[in-house]
Amino acid sequence: MNILHIDCSPRDESHSRQLSSAVVARLRGKNAGTDVTYRDLGRHPIPHTGTDYAIALSSPATLAEGPRNSAFQLSEQLIREVEAAEVLVIGTPMNNFTVPSVLKAWIDQILRIGRTFSSSSEGKVGLLRDRPVFICVASGGVFAGDRANQPDFLTPYMKVALGCVGLMELYFLPLQATAFLDQEQLATARDSLIAKVDLDEILFNLT
Ligand SMILES: Cc1cc2nc3c(=O)[nH]c(=O)nc-3n(C[C@H](O)[C@H](O)[C@H](O)COP(=O)(O)O)c2cc1C
């Protein structure tokens, strides 16, 4: 099994890193011979899409060149990492109610018309094969559940953005209130989040 593991926090003591690593470790434990491709967007951010990319996207002729156009090189590399993976595990902080800009920069390279989605009168149609995506979110406060006291643009945004390319099987693991819980409480919260995911069922569906 191939896993694409992405982390987005800039912090060494990151809770989302710990959670995503724990999910990867559990997947590894259940599958001998698992390969992991690791993208550390938090420590090594990819550049934001620039002029070349915007121009290349805006004309049918340059779009048709696909990976032969140098503006699409990074996009192509990142999309191939997704295509090569059976499972994606994304660790991300919530920043100002949504994803951090390093993750947005990755999304801007992955959602490419004519490559990962097409456009129809009904809307956008994903062109990638669906696969499980674990989204391990750390937030200082509470955004989901009965005690939520702030808006959540991260969850609906990720559903729409990943759904646009055909990734619909999303498992959100929100590790909330990191600003208020102590290490022991955080470890308990992390364990109970992971326990909620039936990895056996997910892995069974993959075979
Ligand atoms: C720029 C910035 C914006 C943040 N915005 C939010 C927010 O909107 N909601 C929230 O609950 N926590 C917010 N936080 C707190 C982080 O989500 C929290 O510290 C989280 O644990 C960070 O993830 P990490 O532990 O993986 O680094 C923000 C932190 C930073 C640095």
Side-chain angles (χ1 to χ4, degrees):
M1 185 174 70
N2 291 321
I3 299 175
L4 174 58
H5 179 191
I6 297 174
D7 271 326
C8 303
S9 172
R11 297 185 330 115
D12 288 340
E13 305 300 314
S14 153
H15 301 293
S16 59
R17 281 181 187 276
Q18 288 177 34
L19 185 56
S20 69
S21 294
V23 172
V24 170
R26 276 206 64 197
L27 287 165
R28 267 185 190 277
K30 293 200 172 273
N31 262 277
T34 299
D35 285 326
V36 180
T37 299
Y38 186 52
R39 266 249 162 230
D40 195 339
L41 299 175
R43 293 193 184 107
H44 307 287
I46 56 168
H48 288 288
T49 53
T51 313
D52 291 355
Y53 189 78
I55 291 172
L57 267 192
S58 63
S59 119
T62 46
L63 270 179
E65 287 170 9
R68 284 176 288 117
N69 188 315
S70 61
F72 292 140
Q73 249 169 29
L74 176 60
S75 166
E76 194 59 32
Q77 184 188 346
L78 297 172
I79 290 167
R80 285 183 186 169
E81 287 176 3
V82 174
E83 287 176 324
E86 271 93 38
V87 179
L88 271 65
V89 180
I90 300 175
T92 182
M94 170 180 270
N95 274 8
N96 297 317
F97 319 112
T98 187
V99 297
S101 62
V102 291
L103 182 53
K104 177 62 166 57
W106 179 84
I107 288 168
D108 286 344
Q109 301 279 356
I110 298 291
L111 272 64
R112 175 147 60 88
I113 189 157
R115 178 64 174 84
T116 54
F117 72 91
S118 61
S119 193
S120 78
S121 54
E122 320 278 275
K124 293 172 177 172
V125 182
L127 300 176
L128 297 186
R129 174 173 53 77
D130 196 10
R131 66 207 83 202
V133 184
F134 296 91
I135 302 166
C136 307
V137 184
S139 63
V142 181
F143 66 88
D146 295 343
R147 291 175 44 243
N149 59 4
Q150 61 182 324
D152 169 20
F153 296 104
L154 187 153
T155 312
Y157 174 67
M158 289 298 279
K159 283 181 184 168
V160 171
L162 296 182
C164 172
V165 297
L167 301 176
M168 318 293 280
E169 193 184 337
L170 311 183
Y171 301 94
F172 286 91
L173 307 181
L175 184 59
Q176 306 186 84
T178 60
F180 304 101
L181 302 183
D182 63 30
Q183 289 306 321
E184 202 180 315
Q185 290 170 317
L186 284 164
T188 306
R190 201 166 52 233
D191 291 348
S192 77
L193 277 175
I194 296 171
K196 272 188 198 152
V197 183
D198 188 346
L199 289 186
D200 290 330
E201 175 68 18
I202 292 165
L203 295 172
F204 176 77
N205 288 339
L206 280 176
T207 54

